[in-house]
Every structure is written in C-alpha cells, then in structure tokens.
C-alpha cells in the first residue's frame, strides 16, 4: 500500500478502510489503524469525524500539531491538510466519513454543514471531550453501525442520514462547550496568533509577505513577528512559507498536474521563481521532490 497519499478521494478512503458503506458518499470504519497515512500530508474529499479509542499519535492539521489519545475527537473537512504520525502500536480510531452531497441531498438548506461551528476553517480540529461524552457518541455510532448491518432494508440510507444528523448536533453541543472553555483561556497574544493563522489559511496563496498580514490585523510587522514567535516558537514568515510549501507538496504529488500549473495554482509569476522558492525551503527542486516522493 502506497503511504504517500496526497489526495485521498472518498472512494479510495473507502477502499482502504470502510467497514459499512452506504453508496459512494458515506461510510464508517471500526477501530482501524491509520498507519498507511502516517508519514505524509493528505487532503480528503470528505468530512471526517474520528474518535480515538486507544493509543496515541500526533495529528498535524494545517501545520498545527495536536495530540491524539483515547477519547480525543478529530473533526476534519475537505479544506484541511492532515498528517497522522508517531502513532503508538496500539493506536486505534473509529471514523465516520461523508460528503456534503450525502448529507444535503434531501435538505433544502445546501449550506447545512456550514451551520456547525466545528466545520469552519478556524475551528479546532482536535478536541478532548469527557469520557461520558465520548461514550454517548460511541452509542450513536454503534446504533448507526447496527442499522447499516441491515443491508436489505429499503430505507437504510435515509435512516443512516437521520442518525448522522443527530450525531452532528451532539458533536456541536460538545464542541461548543469545549471551545468556549479553550477560548476563554486565551491571552491577547494567543488571540492574535489565532487571527493570524486564520488569515494565512485563507490568503497564503496570494500573499507571502508578513506586512500584508500585519496590515490586515492592524499591528506592525515587528509586533506580529515577535508575538507569533513568542506564542508558537516560529516566526510569522515561517508559518506563511510552511503553508505555501505544504500546499506545493500536496499538489506536486499529483503527477497529473504539471509543475507550471502547480506554480500558477499558488500564484507564482512563473515556474522558475516557484522552483527557486521551493528549493530554498526544501533543498530539492520541484521535479526532484516529485521523483523522491514517487519511490
């Protein structure tokens, strides 16, 4: 199995891990090890709710690193770039994976998913509910699994969608309470870091200079750089460069995209300037990186 997965389509994800599949847009997995995804970043087509049941691992989401442990919950969207690594031998998770189309197929509100705070770009992708909260979510998961076992039931898909909707509201309640607690503990410098990271997430393809972000946040570039360095241990410029390089790496692993199109996709004026930038930050040219990751 190829570990170097840059883009994980729902169908590929399902082929690797699905236990119960309802059409092409919804499936669940039962206590699986994700070791085949542990070394390289990837992006999934689907929305993911993961519940860790055993062991530990590091989870990197859009360059931020979190600890996954028993009772941790992972909340990811197609806009997240994920990496799971340093996992213990006993690291296990249960996952629910679905597309926006599956959930909104019979819903008049096409933006139904956007109503949940944990599926917004600035949300915390890993939270730590209480053991009782996790058990309640696992009860819903097991009910869903039981319903999916009835493969001949004429309303299997409709029932699954209804249970999934109930689960989403339960997760919203848990997320909101835990997010409020986390937000309430933030200092002003930490809040500035959150705002900066959100801006980088939305604008790194167009803007690679610190001054743009400082102006957007109404602070000096010196203050922004010093604050981000104090809070994260890395400068604002390093965060911007890492976001650009990470996106470039994801695109370069797709061999159907030419290097010129990769450069265009992240707003470099030409392939040459992109190549110099990429090599300066990785030590490899884009073509050499593409060859190295294909091995």
């Amino acid at each position: 199995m190829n570990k170097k997965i840059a883009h994980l389509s729902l169908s590929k994800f399902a082929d690797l891990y699905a236990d119960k599949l309802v059409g092409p847009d919804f499936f669940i997995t039962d206590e699986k090890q994700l070791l085949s995804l542990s070394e390289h970043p990837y992006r999934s087509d689907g929305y993911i709710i993961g519940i860790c049941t055993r062991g530990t691992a590091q989870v990197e989401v859009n360059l931020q690193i979190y600890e996954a442990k028993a009772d941790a919950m992972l909340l990811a969207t197609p806009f997240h770039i994920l990496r799971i690594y340093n996992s213990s031998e006993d690291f296990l998770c249960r996952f629910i994976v679905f597309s926006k189309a599956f959930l909104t197929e019979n819903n008049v509100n096409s933006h139904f998913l956007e109503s949940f705070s944990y599926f917004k770009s600035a949300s915390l992708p890993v939270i730590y509910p209480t053991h009782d909260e996790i058990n309640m979510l696992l009860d819903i998961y097991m009910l869903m699994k039981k319903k999916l076992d009835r493969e001949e039931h004429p309303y299997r898909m409709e029932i699954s969608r209804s249970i999934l909707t109930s689960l989403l509201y339960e997760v919203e309640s848990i997320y909101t309470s835990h997010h409020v607690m986390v937000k309430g503990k933030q200092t002003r410098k930490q809040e500035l870091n959150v705002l900066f990271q959100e801006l980088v997430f939305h604008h790194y393809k167009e803007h690679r200079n610190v001054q743009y972000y400082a102006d957007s946040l109404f602070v000096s570039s010196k203050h922004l750089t010093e604050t981000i360095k104090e809070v994260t241990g890395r400068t604002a410029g390093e965060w911007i460069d890492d976001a650009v390089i990470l996106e470039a790496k994801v695109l370069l692993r797709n061999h159907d995209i030419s290097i010129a199109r990769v450069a265009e996709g992240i707003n470099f004026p030409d392939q040459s300037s992109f190549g110099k930038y990429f090599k300066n930050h990785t030590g490899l040219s884009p073509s050499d990186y593409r060859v190295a990751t294909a091995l």
Side-chain angles (χ1 to χ4, degrees), residues 15 21 25 27 64 88 101 118 173 176 198 204 211 229 287:
D15 288 343
L21 182 67
D25 295 320
F27 64 89
Q64 298 278 14
S88 61
Y118 53 88
S173 176
T176 302
E198 173 72 358
Y204 68 89
Q211 191 63 55
K229 176 73 171 179
S287 57

Side-chain angles (χ1 to χ4, degrees), residues 12-288:
K12 180 63 175 177
F13 204 152
D15 288 343
L16 290 171
Y17 296 112
D19 287 311
K20 297 296 178 183
L21 182 67
V22 182
D25 295 320
F26 172 60
F27 64 89
I28 66 175
T29 75
D30 191 20
E31 291 197 317
K32 291 294 178 72
Q33 288 183 309
L34 301 184
L35 297 181
S36 60
L37 304 179
S38 64
E39 292 184 1
H40 296 275
Y42 67 95
R43 184 188 283 117
S44 170
D45 286 341
Y47 290 78
I48 301 171
I49 298 175
I51 299 174
C52 302
T53 55
R54 188 183 307 171
T56 61
Q58 299 294 308
V59 178
E60 182 180 296
V61 183
N62 291 342
L63 301 176
Q64 298 278 14
I65 298 174
Y66 304 85
E67 180 187 4
K69 56 187 179 181
D71 291 348
M73 183 159 56
L74 171 66
L75 303 162
T77 75
F79 308 108
H80 288 120
I81 296 176
L82 308 174
R83 185 164 72 107
I84 299 176
Y85 63 106
N86 288 345
S87 56
S88 61
E89 292 184 0
D90 61 341
F91 179 63
L92 295 175
C93 287
R94 287 188 166 107
F95 281 93
I96 299 167
V97 184
F98 58 93
S99 71
K100 184 174 183 179
F102 174 77
L103 202 61
T104 60
E105 183 176 331
N106 295 330
N107 195 312
V108 293
N109 181 7
S110 62
H111 297 288
F112 174 63
L113 275 175
E114 284 78 1
S115 67
F116 296 105
S117 56
Y118 53 88
F119 281 149
K120 297 183 186 299
S121 60
S123 63
L124 292 171
V126 180
I127 63 172
Y128 307 97
T130 67
H131 187 64
D132 288 343
E133 288 170 335
I134 285 294
N135 282 340
M136 182 270 295
L137 294 177
L138 288 175
D139 285 343
I140 299 175
Y141 171 92
M142 295 308 295
L143 174 63
M144 186 184 300
K145 186 173 185 296
K146 184 182 295 185
K147 299 300 182 182
L148 291 177
D149 284 337
R150 302 186 300 171
E151 296 183 3
E152 302 305 318
H153 196 288
Y155 300 109
R156 180 170 173 255
M157 184 174 293
E158 288 77 8
I159 292 171
S160 301
R161 187 180 291 114
S162 177
I163 297 173
L164 175 59
T165 300
S166 298
L167 177 68
L168 293 176
Y169 281 112
E170 292 288 359
V171 173
E172 175 72 4
S173 176
I174 294 170
Y175 178 85
T176 302
S177 63
H178 284 269
H179 182 252
V180 167
M181 288 188 290
V182 171
K183 189 174 182 180
K185 296 176 182 178
Q186 288 182 333
T187 66
R188 295 189 66 176
K189 290 182 177 181
Q190 289 170 330
E191 289 175 357
L192 179 61
N193 176 57
V194 170
L195 293 172
F196 167 71
Q197 299 288 350
E198 173 72 358
L199 276 175
V200 171
F201 175 78
H202 284 291
H203 299 294
Y204 68 89
K205 291 182 182 180
E206 294 83 23
H207 300 284
R208 293 186 288 275
N209 62 87
V210 174
Q211 191 63 55
Y212 169 83
Y213 297 95
D215 290 345
S216 299
L217 294 168
F218 304 102
V219 298
S220 69
S221 58
K222 181 175 184 291
H223 176 69
L224 180 62
T225 296
E226 290 176 349
T227 300
I228 300 306
K229 176 73 171 179
E230 180 179 336
V231 173
T232 70
R234 310 171 75 203
T235 68
E238 287 173 334
W239 280 107
I240 298 166
D241 288 336
D242 280 354
V244 175
I245 291 298
L246 181 59
E247 180 70 15
K249 287 179 176 179
V250 170
L251 294 174
L252 286 169
R253 289 197 186 95
N254 185 345
H255 288 224
D256 293 331
I257 302 176
S258 68
I259 294 176
R261 281 188 58 200
V262 171
E264 181 182 352
I266 44 184
N267 286 284
F268 280 84
D270 50 56
Q271 183 174 333
S272 176
S273 60
F274 166 66
K276 291 177 182 176
Y277 178 91
F278 189 87
K279 187 168 185 177
N280 183 50
H281 288 88
T282 67
L284 293 172
S285 68
S287 57
D288 287 344

